[in-house]
Amino acid sequence: MSEHISVTDEGPIRIIRFDRADKKNAITRAMYAGMADALNEADASASIRCVVIAGSPGTFTAGNDLMDFMSAPPEFGADEAPPVQRFMQALMGCSRPVIAAVDGLAIGIGVTLLLHCDLVYASDRSSFKTPFVDLALAPEFGSSAILPGLVGRAVASDLLLLGSAWDAKKAAANGLLTGVFPTGDLEHEVMDRAKALAAKAPGAVRAAKALMRLEGDRIEDRILTEGREFSRLLQSEEFKEAATAFMERRPPDFSRFG
Ligand code: COA
């Protein structure tokens, strides 16, 4: 585990935090590797229901460590996936919902990774920038497809070609964020939502997340896929608990489900 990330479990919620504030949380290979492990472990653990990715006060992350980029450039497609790829694969493959809590600077992969989280909250002092072209580099990890899909190519080009910095208001208006909070409220607002997710029926949460991530199918096929999931969940103990709780006029208790 890298000394520059911290991983803590608060009950069913795993919090993975960039912890290298003196370098603006620039991400090294060791940090990617530690985060990949922390995410994979969370995914394999029956007790973890939700993951939060956060930074330090005023800095989410300044992106990939530029020294690392020069001394050990990641080789995509190599036999052994580089740590950054392992991290992004772990994030994209995580069956648990992942919430990002952005306070302050989010640069480069600090923005790219948000496109793969399920819920993204930011403080009102946050800013978002992807200076790949300014660094004579290219967009990464699907952002050249996801971002134009989300905001349209003309707007995506403001980030991905011009390298403009977006404030939280602009990022939210363009659908990059789920919500914006005053700086002092961000973390407890995020934790409230993480707890709410963790209290829901875990199988149903996983199914909804997986369905939202299916791509490229026709709507008729999607309806069938959803219908099969719906039928499967109707037979589940989780649904039995939800329906019984409704009849008994009490909140459902999903804590025994994995
Ligand atoms: N990689 C490596 N080190 C980084 C870094 C990065 N991506 N971002 C910041 N740092 C380091 C700086 O080198 C500096 O180290 P030092 O104190 O040993 O000199 C320290 O973090 C503080 O950064 P500094 O530039 O002094 O702070 P600032 O508040 O003036 O500016 C940033 C902060 C993030 C705007 C600026 O550091 C920056 O533009 N960083 C590069 C961002 C980037 O291009 N990321 C890669 C995207 S692919």
Side-chain angles (χ1 to χ4, degrees):
M1 184 69 65
S2 164
E3 56 179 321
H4 293 131
I5 61 163
S6 79
V7 180
T8 46
D9 292 341
E10 282 189 26
I13 302 160
R14 168 154 293 193
I15 302 160
I16 305 174
R17 200 178 279 284
F18 300 112
D19 190 13
R20 198 186 177 212
D22 61 325
K23 298 285 184 190
K24 302 286 174 192
N25 291 335
I27 314 171
T28 60
R29 282 170 299 150
M31 289 163 74
Y32 286 124
M35 291 174 66
D37 292 346
L39 275 165
N40 286 329
E41 259 174 44
D43 208 26
S45 153
S47 58
I48 298 295
R49 301 255 177 119
C50 179
V51 178
V52 172
I53 299 181
S56 36
T59 308
F60 184 61
T61 169
N64 205 103
D65 186 292
L66 290 170
M67 304 307 141
D68 247 27
F69 256 166
M70 305 238 283
S71 61
E75 206 185 316
F76 298 104
D79 283 347
E80 197 182 334
V84 60
Q85 191 177 354
R86 284 216 298 119
F87 162 62
M88 290 301 288
Q89 276 166 349
L91 176 62
M92 291 185 267
C94 188
S95 64
R96 272 63 176 153
V98 181
I99 308 180
V102 179
D103 175 30
L105 286 174
I107 304 180
I109 198 159
V111 175
T112 303
L113 75 85
L114 302 178
L115 301 172
H116 296 281
C117 292
D118 300 293
L119 293 152
V120 182
Y121 297 98
S123 68
D124 49 11
R125 65 173 169 178
S126 297
S127 67
F128 304 83
K129 190 174 159 76
T130 53
F132 298 113
V133 168
D134 289 341
L135 287 164
L137 299 172
E140 52 177 4
F141 294 106
S143 57
S144 63
I146 298 170
L147 203 56
L150 191 64
V151 301
R153 197 183 303 145
V155 178
S157 298
D158 188 45
L159 272 187
L160 291 179
L161 276 182
L162 271 180
S164 301
W166 286 4
D167 61 16
K169 206 171 157 197
K170 184 159 185 183
N174 279 304
L176 236 58
L177 307 179
T178 313
V180 180
F181 296 108
T183 301
D185 296 342
L186 175 70
E187 294 233 347
H188 76 80
E189 293 284 357
V190 166
M191 287 307 287
D192 281 355
R193 284 158 177 79
K195 284 177 201 154
L197 272 175
K200 294 183 192 293
V205 169
R206 283 197 297 273
K209 170 167 177 161
L211 281 166
M212 282 193 282
R213 278 163 189 264
L214 286 178
E215 270 171 21
D217 49 351
R218 294 180 317 134
I219 196 70
E220 292 85 349
D221 295 334
R222 175 65 65 98
I223 289 167
L224 278 178
T225 309
E226 287 171 340
R228 277 192 289 269
E229 273 301 283
F230 207 99
S231 304
R232 184 182 70 77
L233 289 168
L234 273 177
Q235 303 302 319
S236 72
E237 290 300 315
E238 288 178 5
F239 173 68
K240 235 179 254 170
E241 167 59 14
T244 308
F246 175 76
M247 305 296 178
E248 294 175 355
R249 297 179 183 275
R250 61 171 173 82
D253 174 6
F254 298 112
S255 58
R256 69 179 185 279
F257 302 112

